[in-house]
Each structure stands twice: as C-alpha cells, then as structure tokens.
Amino acid sequence: MSKTLEFIENRIRWRASQHDIPNKKSTFFFENLTLEEQSHYLSHFNEKDIGKIILLFKGSKRNWTGIGTKMIFGYNGTEFHSVELNRIKDVDSKNRKEYFDKAESEKLKPKKFKKKNERELLIIDSLGNETVFITKKGHDLFALWNIMLMITRFNE
C-alpha cells in the first residue's frame, strides 16, 4: 500500500514526539530554523527530490542528518549522501553491525554490545547499498533509528 506524503509527515512527527523531539539542542523541526539555516542545509539537495523537510539532527557543525517526506539526507563532514525512504530495507548501528558480522565470520560468541556511545546509523537500501548517517550519541541516534525502523515497516 502506498503512503501519501502527508501520512508520512504525520507519522514522522508523531514518532519524533515519542522521543521528545525537537529538543532545541541538536534536533529541530526544519520549519523552525531561520531561512538562512534552511538554505544552508538545502544548498546541496533539491527540495523537490527530498519532499517536505521535517526534521534535522545536528551531530556537530560538520555532521548532520535531515529527514524529508521522500528522503533521508545528510553530510558526514566530507560528502553529502541521501537514500529514498521507499528504498530503505534495513536499519542498524554501523558499529553494531560490524561487531556482529566480525563475530559471526570468526565464529565467536558475541558479547553484549554497548549501544549508548553510538552515533552512526547504517541504512541499507533495497539494492544492498549501505549509507551512514550521523547524529549525536545516545538519545538522538535512537530517535532517528526508531523513525527509520518505522519507515522500513512502511516498505514491507
């Protein structure tokens, strides 16, 4: 079933509210940013492709991630990247996935993985491409992770 852009926006806003977003420190509703800030984040992306931009997660001055009604997009300090929401297949922490993949390949029993220091969210699209999006550690990562998990369920 295809979801409308309005439905997607409402669900993202609802899920964000479940995580106390926006928090005025590192996560923001895009429409609440100044026009100057908005144009800074839009300078490398076409709003027509992204859809209506809803949330912005600032990892630092050099790292940020945005969510629109059509795409997740961001900057990792060296390059810009994006993934269409309707192509997201799986979501995981980058280091967590690497940890468990290594344990599996070496036939080791993995120990408990501490997620609280994670800040890189790995998104795998329907073609198997992996893209990393960066937020602040802890709460912001888990909020973004939960929003993206919700999106993967839309795609099932």
Side-chain angles (χ1 to χ4, degrees), residues 20-33:
D20 298 322
I21 291 176
N23 65 21
K24 307 274 191 237
K25 294 177 187 171
S26 56
T27 58
F28 306 87
F29 281 129
F30 194 75
E31 72 262 12
N32 294 340
L33 299 175

Side-chain angles (χ1 to χ4, degrees), residues 83-147:
V83 177
E84 293 176 28
L85 297 182
N86 63 2
R87 295 182 61 189
I88 295 174
K89 185 82 173 156
D90 197 11
V91 181
D92 204 346
S93 153
K94 178 180 175 279
N95 291 332
R96 182 181 174 281
K97 182 179 184 307
E98 289 172 355
Y99 176 80
F100 284 103
D101 286 351
K102 181 179 179 188
E104 185 177 309
S105 69
E106 295 176 5
K107 298 189 180 356
L108 300 173
K109 182 178 179 184
K111 297 176 181 162
K112 187 173 182 176
F113 186 79
K114 296 178 182 171
K115 297 182 277 188
K116 69 180 179 182
N117 293 323
E118 293 298 297
R119 59 185 293 245
E120 297 178 323
L121 186 69
L122 177 68
I123 294 188
I124 303 166
D125 70 17
S126 57
L127 300 174
N129 300 317
E130 297 181 352
T131 307
V132 174
F133 293 92
I134 300 172
T135 67
K136 289 214 178 278
K137 294 178 183 178
H139 181 266
D140 287 1
L141 175 76
F142 293 112
L144 179 61
W145 196 338
N146 276 294
I147 291 167

Side-chain angles (χ1 to χ4, degrees), residues 9-63:
E9 176 183 358
N10 289 338
R11 295 308 293 174
I12 291 171
R13 286 180 182 277
W14 173 79
R15 179 62 71 186
S17 73
Q18 303 300 301
H19 293 277
D20 298 322
I21 291 176
N23 65 21
K24 307 274 191 237
K25 294 177 187 171
S26 56
T27 58
F28 306 87
F29 281 129
F30 194 75
E31 72 262 12
N32 294 340
L33 299 175
T34 66
L35 291 177
E36 185 179 318
E37 288 176 304
Q38 288 180 11
S39 64
H40 168 74
Y41 293 108
L42 283 173
S43 62
H44 296 278
F45 295 97
N46 183 342
E47 198 168 3
K48 187 177 175 182
D49 295 332
I50 295 170
K52 181 178 180 183
I53 302 169
I54 304 163
L55 290 173
L56 184 72
F57 293 81
K58 293 182 181 179
S60 70
K61 290 189 182 281
R62 295 178 37 103
N63 306 310

Side-chain angles (χ1 to χ4, degrees), residues 3-10 51-52 54 69-70:
K3 309 291 187 218
T4 66
L5 297 180
E6 183 180 351
F7 175 84
I8 292 169
E9 176 183 358
N10 289 338
K52 181 178 180 183
I54 304 163
T69 54
K70 295 180 183 178

